[in-house]
Amino acid sequence: MNILAIGDVVGSVGCRFLRAHLPTLKKLKGVDLVICNGENSADGNGITPVSAEYLFQSGVDVITTGNHAFRRREMYTVFDSCETILRPANFPEGGAPGRGWLVYDMGRIQVGVINLMGVVYMEPLDNPFDAADRILAAGLPKITLVDFHAEATGEKKSLAYYLDGRVSAVFGTHTHVQTADEQILPNGTGYLSDLGMTGPIHSVLGVKPELTIEKMHRHMPVRFDLASDPCEMDCALFTIDDKTGRSLSVERFIIK
Ligand SMILES: [Fe+2]
Ligand SMILES: [Fe+2]
């Protein structure tokens, strides 16, 4: 089973780039399932019903999110109603709409997807390690992948080792910068600290550099506008043994 994971899609410019390249990539690599982080897919941050639908129409099967999941109010009912859009599972009980994990039924095989958020240099959500334990105790399929939306590589890799042998893969999102540390952990869990992003190359995390320079240099509030083309699409392909659920290989690439 080949599962493609795509890094944070940034704005309509990133969405268009994904649509232009995903179909060919799926054919080329024999992709069975596509998971994509869509937390920044709307222009002006967050995710909207329109940007989510655009990603699905472009060939994405499961959308994960992160700290920008709930920027747009119009999305709250969609989180509740659409089973293939996730938000981090470790939001406190009873507040956030939607769900943090799912089982995707592919007929002959089922695939679990879990979305978690880090708590190091991020909002103090529930402990992601305990949240993962609780979800896995519910009995997820042999093939299960985790999108760990987090800032710190130390936290990401610790969670990956914590789940090694219990899930097929752990990949990070959120930093918008792809890491070069793909590997298979000792007990068969595929790993990459961060997938990267799908968005403008000449940007800072998708944003026009002159705006982030102003923010970083002067520390004054700045409205972040997105940069424009050319774009790249950062992703990783996890090839997973259907019988054991272990990762056989992790291939990382950047489409330009
Ligand atoms: Fe993001
Ligand atoms: Fe994020």
Side-chain angles (χ1 to χ4, degrees):
M1 157 99 35
N2 290 322
I3 299 179
L4 182 73
I6 304 175
D8 304 31
V9 181
V10 180
S12 51
V13 65
C15 285
R16 279 196 303 274
F17 192 82
L18 178 144
R19 178 169 286 190
H21 291 86
L22 184 56
T24 315
L25 185 62
K26 283 172 81 168
K27 262 189 218 143
L28 196 71
K29 299 284 183 183
V31 173
D32 300 297
L33 186 80
V34 178
I35 304 167
C36 170
N37 191 296
E39 72 152 11
N40 307 115
S41 55
D43 285 330
N45 224 331
I47 178 169
T48 61
V50 173
S51 70
E53 186 55 29
Y54 190 96
L55 291 176
F56 286 135
Q57 293 291 334
S58 306
V60 171
D61 299 302
V62 176
I63 296 175
T64 52
T65 57
N67 53 311
H68 296 305
F70 302 123
R71 287 256 166 158
R72 304 297 191 91
R73 280 249 156 216
E74 66 266 39
M75 194 60 197
Y76 288 21
T77 52
V78 181
F79 272 110
D80 278 331
S81 62
C82 180
E83 291 180 358
T84 50
I85 302 180
L86 299 178
R87 46 80 170 167
N90 49 331
F91 270 90
E93 221 38 60
R99 71 219 80 212
W101 59 275
L102 61 80
V103 175
Y104 195 92
D105 190 358
M106 300 181 68
R108 69 182 176 90
I109 213 154
Q110 295 190 316
V111 176
V113 182
I114 302 172
N115 194 181
L116 289 166
M117 199 161 104
V119 293
V120 176
Y121 307 129
M122 297 189 81
E123 282 183 51
L125 298 191
D126 292 346
N127 186 297
F129 295 75
D130 293 337
D133 280 339
R134 277 196 298 275
I135 295 163
L136 291 172
L140 263 65
K142 211 158 241 164
I143 300 180
T144 289
L145 295 92
V146 178
D147 174 354
F148 191 28
H149 196 80
E151 192 81 66
T153 48
E155 187 184 24
K156 291 180 188 189
K157 203 155 193 185
S158 297
L159 184 83
Y161 271 104
Y162 187 68
L163 298 178
D164 184 21
R166 295 199 281 158
V167 300
S168 309
V170 175
F171 54 84
T173 55
H174 177 66
T175 70
H176 294 205
V177 178
Q178 189 178 79
T179 56
D181 60 343
E182 70 274 27
Q183 68 179 114
I184 295 173
L185 302 181
N187 296 312
T189 294
Y191 177 71
L192 180 67
S193 286
D194 207 292
L195 296 173
M197 75 160 175
T198 302
I201 293 170
H202 301 300
S203 74
V204 179
L205 282 64
V207 174
K208 288 176 180 166
E210 60 270 29
L211 301 175
T212 65
I213 290 170
E214 182 65 14
K215 170 82 180 154
M216 297 291 163
H217 188 185
R218 308 287 181 202
H219 296 278
M220 291 301 289
V222 172
R223 207 192 95 116
F224 280 170
D225 282 333
L226 296 182
S228 47
D229 286 323
C231 284
E232 66 182 45
M233 182 166 82
D234 304 347
C235 25
L237 185 72
F238 295 91
T239 300
I240 296 164
D241 187 319
D242 291 1
K243 290 200 181 72
T244 64
R246 288 173 167 229
S247 272
L248 301 170
S249 69
V250 185
E251 187 186 358
R252 165 181 67 81
F253 40 93
I254 295 176
I255 310 285
K256 285 187 181 173

